[in-house]
Amino acid sequence: MWDIGEMWITPLELLYCGMIAGLWFLGLLVGVLEPHLPTPLIQIYRYGKHALKKHRHAVVDRLEVPKSSFRHFYVFAVGITGLTFYLILRTYLGEEAPPEVVMTLLDFLCGTKRTAKGSGVGTLLASFCIFLQCLRRFWETHFVQVFSRSSRINIVHYLVGYVHYLGATLAILAHAPGFVVPTEEVSLSMDQLTLRVVLSGGTFLFAWWHQWRSNEILARLRKNQTGQVVTEKHLMPKGGFFDVVSSPHMLFECLMYVSLVPVLSGNTDWLLVTAWVVTNQAQVAHFTHAWYRETFPHYPKARKALIPGIF
């Protein structure tokens, strides 16, 4: 009988490894061989401001949804991350065992040989930070961002959003103290509030705040001074970290996930989640930077795509 606990790679790890490898492969193909690739493949890969504009494939068109559909999986994300944060609080403060269905799901997707990594405080911090991020993104996508009515994304991109947030919450729980077998009593104490935890939390909040400011700058490009939407065009952003990189909101997305690696020390599932986020954001930032440079003749040459002064 197939024993997931004995496998050298779990279903969750296999999923993220597959997504990372697939994204790298497609990115390399489009970056190097785009003129020779079939139209459907390019159309599936590109979306938003750098979407394929000509010679579109009719079948692929039918598999696209409005880009504003991003709102949907932030509704899902708030629910799943909020539930995760509640379960951790319930286990650590209420001293109640995790629901059996949660343990069964973790055993199936993350293996039965899971071990606890990090501390209760670190796990609680990571869970709260991801919940806080999803709350803000829910607010932004519903009440701040201005989505172009003509902008569309492939159904694959849409579904990956759900997969990612479910996988991220499972990755936190997979090696959380109190959520492994055999279970141990979990305590929260000031001793666990280490410098590592403080620096991780501080870095996350720094990135969280500046991503908020970056997204507001983008939204204001399409609004007048009274907040009314006056255009749906893609305009050149400036101000804040946009003065040094083309996609600071993507830079800070990467930083938020990286900042939680120390408090989830030894959690390979979270490392894969972080690697996926960095890979995805880096590729989108690269194509966005290229689009800005092609579209705006006087685009600042000093700006990099994602990392100030480097990339």
Short mmCIF file of all heavy atoms in Angstrom, two decimals, residues 6-51:
data_model
loop_
_atom_site.label_atom_id
_atom_site.label_comp_id
_atom_site.label_asym_id
_atom_site.label_seq_id
_atom_site.Cartn_x
_atom_site.Cartn_y
_atom_site.Cartn_z
N GLU A 6 6.34 7.47 3.85
CA GLU A 6 7.62 6.87 3.49
C GLU A 6 8.21 7.46 2.21
O GLU A 6 9.32 7.15 1.83
CB GLU A 6 7.42 5.35 3.30
CG GLU A 6 6.99 4.62 4.58
CD GLU A 6 8.04 4.70 5.67
OE1 GLU A 6 9.24 4.84 5.34
OE2 GLU A 6 7.67 4.62 6.85
N MET A 7 7.44 8.29 1.51
CA MET A 7 7.92 8.85 0.26
C MET A 7 8.97 9.93 0.52
O MET A 7 8.91 10.64 1.51
CB MET A 7 6.75 9.43 -0.54
CG MET A 7 5.76 8.40 -1.02
SD MET A 7 4.59 9.12 -2.19
CE MET A 7 5.66 9.46 -3.57
N TRP A 8 9.90 10.06 -0.41
CA TRP A 8 10.96 11.06 -0.24
C TRP A 8 10.47 12.44 -0.62
O TRP A 8 11.10 13.44 -0.27
CB TRP A 8 12.18 10.68 -1.09
CG TRP A 8 11.96 10.71 -2.56
CD1 TRP A 8 11.47 9.71 -3.34
CD2 TRP A 8 12.21 11.81 -3.45
NE1 TRP A 8 11.39 10.11 -4.66
CE2 TRP A 8 11.85 11.39 -4.75
CE3 TRP A 8 12.71 13.10 -3.27
CZ2 TRP A 8 11.97 12.21 -5.86
CZ3 TRP A 8 12.83 13.93 -4.38
CH2 TRP A 8 12.47 13.48 -5.66
N ILE A 9 9.33 12.52 -1.32
CA ILE A 9 8.72 13.80 -1.62
C ILE A 9 7.22 13.69 -1.43
O ILE A 9 6.60 12.72 -1.86
CB ILE A 9 9.07 14.26 -3.06
CG1 ILE A 9 8.56 15.69 -3.30
CG2 ILE A 9 8.55 13.29 -4.10
CD1 ILE A 9 9.09 16.32 -4.59
N THR A 10 6.63 14.65 -0.76
CA THR A 10 5.21 14.60 -0.46
C THR A 10 4.40 15.24 -1.60
O THR A 10 4.96 15.95 -2.43
CB THR A 10 4.90 15.35 0.85
OG1 THR A 10 5.14 16.77 0.64
CG2 THR A 10 5.78 14.85 1.99
N PRO A 11 3.09 14.99 -1.65
CA PRO A 11 2.27 15.61 -2.70
C PRO A 11 2.37 17.13 -2.72
O PRO A 11 2.40 17.73 -3.80
CB PRO A 11 0.85 15.15 -2.33
CG PRO A 11 1.06 13.82 -1.67
CD PRO A 11 2.32 13.98 -0.88
N LEU A 12 2.42 17.79 -1.54
CA LEU A 12 2.52 19.25 -1.53
C LEU A 12 3.86 19.70 -2.10
O LEU A 12 3.93 20.66 -2.87
CB LEU A 12 2.34 19.78 -0.11
CG LEU A 12 2.27 21.31 0.00
CD1 LEU A 12 1.02 21.84 -0.69
CD2 LEU A 12 2.28 21.76 1.47
N GLU A 13 4.93 19.02 -1.72
CA GLU A 13 6.25 19.36 -2.25
C GLU A 13 6.30 19.12 -3.75
O GLU A 13 6.87 19.92 -4.51
CB GLU A 13 7.32 18.54 -1.54
CG GLU A 13 7.51 18.91 -0.08
CD GLU A 13 8.42 17.94 0.65
OE1 GLU A 13 8.57 16.79 0.18
OE2 GLU A 13 8.96 18.31 1.71
N LEU A 14 5.70 18.02 -4.19
CA LEU A 14 5.68 17.69 -5.62
C LEU A 14 4.90 18.75 -6.40
O LEU A 14 5.32 19.16 -7.49
CB LEU A 14 5.04 16.31 -5.82
CG LEU A 14 5.02 15.79 -7.27
CD1 LEU A 14 6.45 15.61 -7.79
CD2 LEU A 14 4.27 14.46 -7.33
N LEU A 15 3.80 19.22 -5.82
CA LEU A 15 3.00 20.25 -6.47
C LEU A 15 3.81 21.52 -6.69
O LEU A 15 3.85 22.06 -7.80
CB LEU A 15 1.76 20.55 -5.62
CG LEU A 15 0.91 21.74 -6.07
CD1 LEU A 15 0.27 21.47 -7.43
CD2 LEU A 15 -0.16 22.07 -5.03
N TYR A 16 4.47 22.00 -5.63
CA TYR A 16 5.22 23.25 -5.75
C TYR A 16 6.46 23.09 -6.62
O TYR A 16 6.82 24.00 -7.37
CB TYR A 16 5.57 23.80 -4.37
CG TYR A 16 4.47 24.67 -3.81
CD1 TYR A 16 3.50 24.14 -2.97
CD2 TYR A 16 4.36 26.01 -4.16
CE1 TYR A 16 2.46 24.93 -2.48
CE2 TYR A 16 3.33 26.81 -3.68
CZ TYR A 16 2.39 26.26 -2.84
OH TYR A 16 1.37 27.04 -2.38
N CYS A 17 7.12 21.93 -6.53
CA CYS A 17 8.27 21.68 -7.42
C CYS A 17 7.82 21.70 -8.87
O CYS A 17 8.51 22.25 -9.75
CB CYS A 17 8.91 20.34 -7.07
SG CYS A 17 9.91 20.35 -5.57
N GLY A 18 6.65 21.10 -9.14
CA GLY A 18 6.13 21.08 -10.49
C GLY A 18 5.77 22.47 -10.99
O GLY A 18 6.06 22.83 -12.15
N MET A 19 5.16 23.28 -10.13
CA MET A 19 4.79 24.64 -10.53
C MET A 19 6.04 25.48 -10.79
O MET A 19 6.09 26.26 -11.75
CB MET A 19 3.92 25.29 -9.47
CG MET A 19 2.53 24.68 -9.35
SD MET A 19 1.32 25.72 -8.48
CE MET A 19 2.12 25.98 -6.89
N ILE A 20 7.06 25.34 -9.93
CA ILE A 20 8.29 26.11 -10.11
C ILE A 20 8.99 25.70 -11.40
O ILE A 20 9.39 26.55 -12.21
CB ILE A 20 9.23 25.91 -8.91
CG1 ILE A 20 8.62 26.53 -7.64
CG2 ILE A 20 10.60 26.52 -9.18
CD1 ILE A 20 9.33 26.12 -6.37
N ALA A 21 9.13 24.38 -11.62
CA ALA A 21 9.80 23.89 -12.82
C ALA A 21 9.03 24.29 -14.08
O ALA A 21 9.63 24.71 -15.08
CB ALA A 21 9.95 22.37 -12.75
N GLY A 22 7.70 24.16 -14.02
CA GLY A 22 6.89 24.53 -15.18
C GLY A 22 7.00 26.00 -15.52
O GLY A 22 7.09 26.38 -16.69
N LEU A 23 7.01 26.83 -14.49
CA LEU A 23 7.10 28.28 -14.72
C LEU A 23 8.46 28.66 -15.29
O LEU A 23 8.56 29.48 -16.21
CB LEU A 23 6.85 29.03 -13.41
CG LEU A 23 6.69 30.54 -13.53
CD1 LEU A 23 5.49 30.88 -14.42
CD2 LEU A 23 6.50 31.16 -12.15
N TRP A 24 9.53 28.06 -14.75
CA TRP A 24 10.86 28.33 -15.27
C TRP A 24 10.97 27.91 -16.74
O TRP A 24 11.52 28.62 -17.58
CB TRP A 24 11.93 27.60 -14.45
CG TRP A 24 12.47 28.39 -13.31
CD1 TRP A 24 12.29 28.16 -11.98
CD2 TRP A 24 13.28 29.57 -13.40
NE1 TRP A 24 12.93 29.12 -11.23
CE2 TRP A 24 13.56 29.99 -12.07
CE3 TRP A 24 13.80 30.30 -14.46
CZ2 TRP A 24 14.33 31.11 -11.79
CZ3 TRP A 24 14.57 31.43 -14.19
CH2 TRP A 24 14.82 31.82 -12.86
N PHE A 25 10.42 26.72 -17.04
CA PHE A 25 10.50 26.18 -18.40
C PHE A 25 9.75 27.07 -19.38
O PHE A 25 10.26 27.44 -20.45
CB PHE A 25 9.93 24.76 -18.42
CG PHE A 25 9.97 24.12 -19.78
CD1 PHE A 25 11.17 23.77 -20.36
CD2 PHE A 25 8.79 23.86 -20.47
CE1 PHE A 25 11.22 23.18 -21.62
CE2 PHE A 25 8.81 23.27 -21.72
CZ PHE A 25 10.03 22.93 -22.30
N LEU A 26 8.51 27.46 -19.02
CA LEU A 26 7.73 28.32 -19.89
C LEU A 26 8.36 29.70 -20.04
O LEU A 26 8.39 30.27 -21.13
CB LEU A 26 6.30 28.47 -19.34
CG LEU A 26 5.36 27.31 -19.59
CD1 LEU A 26 4.02 27.56 -18.90
CD2 LEU A 26 5.15 27.08 -21.08
N GLY A 27 8.87 30.24 -18.92
CA GLY A 27 9.52 31.54 -18.97
C GLY A 27 10.73 31.53 -19.88
O GLY A 27 10.97 32.48 -20.65
N LEU A 28 11.50 30.45 -19.81
CA LEU A 28 12.69 30.32 -20.66
C LEU A 28 12.29 30.21 -22.12
O LEU A 28 12.90 30.83 -23.00
CB LEU A 28 13.51 29.11 -20.23
CG LEU A 28 14.86 28.90 -20.92
CD1 LEU A 28 15.79 30.07 -20.62
CD2 LEU A 28 15.50 27.59 -20.45
N LEU A 29 11.26 29.40 -22.39
CA LEU A 29 10.81 29.24 -23.77
C LEU A 29 10.35 30.57 -24.37
O LEU A 29 10.74 30.94 -25.47
CB LEU A 29 9.66 28.23 -23.82
CG LEU A 29 10.01 26.74 -23.83
CD1 LEU A 29 8.73 25.92 -23.89
CD2 LEU A 29 10.92 26.39 -24.99
N VAL A 30 9.49 31.28 -23.62
CA VAL A 30 8.95 32.54 -24.12
C VAL A 30 10.05 33.58 -24.25
O VAL A 30 10.08 34.36 -25.20
CB VAL A 30 7.82 33.05 -23.20
CG1 VAL A 30 7.37 34.44 -23.61
CG2 VAL A 30 6.64 32.08 -23.22
N GLY A 31 10.98 33.59 -23.29
CA GLY A 31 12.05 34.58 -23.32
C GLY A 31 13.04 34.39 -24.45
O GLY A 31 13.59 35.35 -24.98
N VAL A 32 13.25 33.12 -24.84
CA VAL A 32 14.29 32.83 -25.84
C VAL A 32 13.71 32.48 -27.21
O VAL A 32 14.25 32.89 -28.25
CB VAL A 32 15.18 31.66 -25.35
CG1 VAL A 32 16.22 31.30 -26.40
CG2 VAL A 32 15.87 32.03 -24.04
N LEU A 33 12.59 31.76 -27.22
CA LEU A 33 12.07 31.24 -28.49
C LEU A 33 10.67 31.74 -28.84
O LEU A 33 9.97 31.10 -29.62
CB LEU A 33 12.06 29.69 -28.43
CG LEU A 33 13.39 29.00 -28.19
CD1 LEU A 33 13.18 27.51 -27.97
CD2 LEU A 33 14.33 29.23 -29.37
N GLU A 34 10.26 32.86 -28.27
CA GLU A 34 8.88 33.30 -28.46
C GLU A 34 8.45 33.37 -29.92
O GLU A 34 7.34 32.94 -30.26
CB GLU A 34 8.65 34.65 -27.78
CG GLU A 34 7.23 35.13 -27.89
CD GLU A 34 6.93 36.33 -27.00
OE1 GLU A 34 7.80 36.71 -26.20
OE2 GLU A 34 5.81 36.86 -27.10
N PRO A 35 9.27 33.91 -30.85
CA PRO A 35 8.81 34.01 -32.24
C PRO A 35 8.51 32.65 -32.88
O PRO A 35 7.79 32.58 -33.89
CB PRO A 35 9.98 34.69 -32.96
CG PRO A 35 10.71 35.42 -31.87
CD PRO A 35 10.58 34.53 -30.67
N HIS A 36 9.04 31.57 -32.32
CA HIS A 36 8.89 30.25 -32.92
C HIS A 36 7.88 29.38 -32.16
O HIS A 36 7.66 28.22 -32.53
CB HIS A 36 10.24 29.53 -32.93
CG HIS A 36 11.34 30.34 -33.54
ND1 HIS A 36 11.43 30.59 -34.90
CD2 HIS A 36 12.39 31.00 -32.97
CE1 HIS A 36 12.49 31.35 -35.15
NE2 HIS A 36 13.10 31.61 -33.99
N LEU A 37 7.26 29.93 -31.13
CA LEU A 37 6.33 29.15 -30.31
C LEU A 37 4.91 29.25 -30.85
O LEU A 37 4.54 30.26 -31.46
CB LEU A 37 6.37 29.63 -28.86
CG LEU A 37 7.68 29.45 -28.10
CD1 LEU A 37 7.55 30.05 -26.69
CD2 LEU A 37 8.05 27.98 -28.01
N PRO A 38 4.09 28.22 -30.62
CA PRO A 38 2.69 28.30 -31.05
C PRO A 38 1.95 29.38 -30.27
O PRO A 38 2.20 29.60 -29.08
CB PRO A 38 2.15 26.90 -30.72
CG PRO A 38 3.08 26.34 -29.69
CD PRO A 38 4.43 26.93 -30.01
N THR A 39 1.02 30.05 -30.95
CA THR A 39 0.28 31.16 -30.36
C THR A 39 -0.43 30.78 -29.06
O THR A 39 -0.38 31.55 -28.09
CB THR A 39 -0.73 31.71 -31.37
OG1 THR A 39 -0.02 32.22 -32.50
CG2 THR A 39 -1.56 32.83 -30.76
N PRO A 40 -1.11 29.62 -28.97
CA PRO A 40 -1.81 29.30 -27.72
C PRO A 40 -0.90 29.28 -26.50
O PRO A 40 -1.29 29.73 -25.42
CB PRO A 40 -2.39 27.90 -28.00
CG PRO A 40 -2.54 27.85 -29.48
CD PRO A 40 -1.37 28.61 -30.02
N LEU A 41 0.32 28.77 -26.65
CA LEU A 41 1.24 28.71 -25.52
C LEU A 41 1.62 30.10 -25.04
O LEU A 41 1.63 30.38 -23.84
CB LEU A 41 2.50 27.93 -25.92
CG LEU A 41 3.53 27.70 -24.80
CD1 LEU A 41 2.93 26.86 -23.68
CD2 LEU A 41 4.78 27.01 -25.36
N ILE A 42 1.90 31.00 -25.97
CA ILE A 42 2.27 32.37 -25.61
C ILE A 42 1.08 33.08 -24.97
O ILE A 42 1.23 33.80 -23.98
CB ILE A 42 2.75 33.16 -26.85
CG1 ILE A 42 3.95 32.46 -27.49
CG2 ILE A 42 3.10 34.59 -26.49
CD1 ILE A 42 4.35 33.05 -28.83
N GLN A 43 -0.09 32.86 -25.52
CA GLN A 43 -1.29 33.53 -25.02
C GLN A 43 -1.62 33.07 -23.60
O GLN A 43 -2.08 33.86 -22.78
CB GLN A 43 -2.46 33.24 -25.95
CG GLN A 43 -3.70 34.09 -25.65
CD GLN A 43 -4.77 33.88 -26.70
OE1 GLN A 43 -4.49 33.50 -27.84
NE2 GLN A 43 -6.02 34.13 -26.31
N ILE A 44 -1.39 31.80 -23.31
CA ILE A 44 -1.64 31.29 -21.96
C ILE A 44 -0.65 31.90 -20.97
O ILE A 44 -1.01 32.26 -19.85
CB ILE A 44 -1.53 29.74 -21.94
CG1 ILE A 44 -2.72 29.12 -22.67
CG2 ILE A 44 -1.46 29.22 -20.50
CD1 ILE A 44 -2.60 27.63 -22.86
N TYR A 45 0.60 32.05 -21.40
CA TYR A 45 1.64 32.53 -20.49
C TYR A 45 1.52 34.03 -20.21
O TYR A 45 1.63 34.47 -19.05
CB TYR A 45 3.02 32.24 -21.09
CG TYR A 45 4.16 32.67 -20.21
CD1 TYR A 45 4.59 31.88 -19.15
CD2 TYR A 45 4.84 33.88 -20.44
CE1 TYR A 45 5.64 32.27 -18.34
CE2 TYR A 45 5.88 34.28 -19.63
CZ TYR A 45 6.28 33.47 -18.58
OH TYR A 45 7.32 33.88 -17.78
N ARG A 46 1.27 34.82 -21.23
CA ARG A 46 1.25 36.27 -21.07
C ARG A 46 -0.15 36.76 -20.67
O ARG A 46 -1.15 36.23 -21.15
CB ARG A 46 1.67 36.97 -22.37
CG ARG A 46 3.15 36.84 -22.71
CD ARG A 46 3.46 37.58 -23.99
NE ARG A 46 4.87 37.66 -24.29
CZ ARG A 46 5.69 38.60 -23.84
NH1 ARG A 46 5.22 39.56 -23.05
NH2 ARG A 46 6.97 38.61 -24.16
N TYR A 47 -0.18 37.77 -19.81
CA TYR A 47 -1.47 38.37 -19.45
C TYR A 47 -1.23 39.80 -18.99
O TYR A 47 -0.10 40.25 -18.82
CB TYR A 47 -2.18 37.56 -18.35
CG TYR A 47 -1.50 37.61 -16.99
CD1 TYR A 47 -1.84 38.57 -16.04
CD2 TYR A 47 -0.50 36.68 -16.66
CE1 TYR A 47 -1.23 38.61 -14.80
CE2 TYR A 47 0.12 36.72 -15.42
CZ TYR A 47 -0.24 37.68 -14.50
OH TYR A 47 0.38 37.73 -13.28
N GLY A 48 -2.34 40.54 -18.77
CA GLY A 48 -2.22 41.92 -18.31
C GLY A 48 -1.64 42.83 -19.37
O GLY A 48 -1.94 42.71 -20.56
N LYS A 49 -0.79 43.75 -18.95
CA LYS A 49 -0.24 44.74 -19.86
C LYS A 49 0.66 44.13 -20.93
O LYS A 49 0.84 44.72 -22.00
CB LYS A 49 0.52 45.83 -19.09
CG LYS A 49 1.70 45.33 -18.29
CD LYS A 49 2.51 46.49 -17.70
CE LYS A 49 1.72 47.25 -16.66
NZ LYS A 49 1.49 46.48 -15.42
N HIS A 50 1.24 42.96 -20.65
CA HIS A 50 2.09 42.34 -21.66
C HIS A 50 1.43 41.10 -22.28
O HIS A 50 2.10 40.17 -22.72
CB HIS A 50 3.46 41.97 -21.07
CG HIS A 50 3.42 41.40 -19.69
ND1 HIS A 50 3.11 40.09 -19.43
CD2 HIS A 50 3.64 41.98 -18.48
CE1 HIS A 50 3.15 39.88 -18.13
NE2 HIS A 50 3.46 41.00 -17.53
N ALA A 51 0.10 41.13 -22.34
CA ALA A 51 -0.64 40.05 -22.98
C ALA A 51 -0.46 40.09 -24.49
O ALA A 51 -0.14 41.13 -25.07
CB ALA A 51 -2.12 40.14 -22.62
#
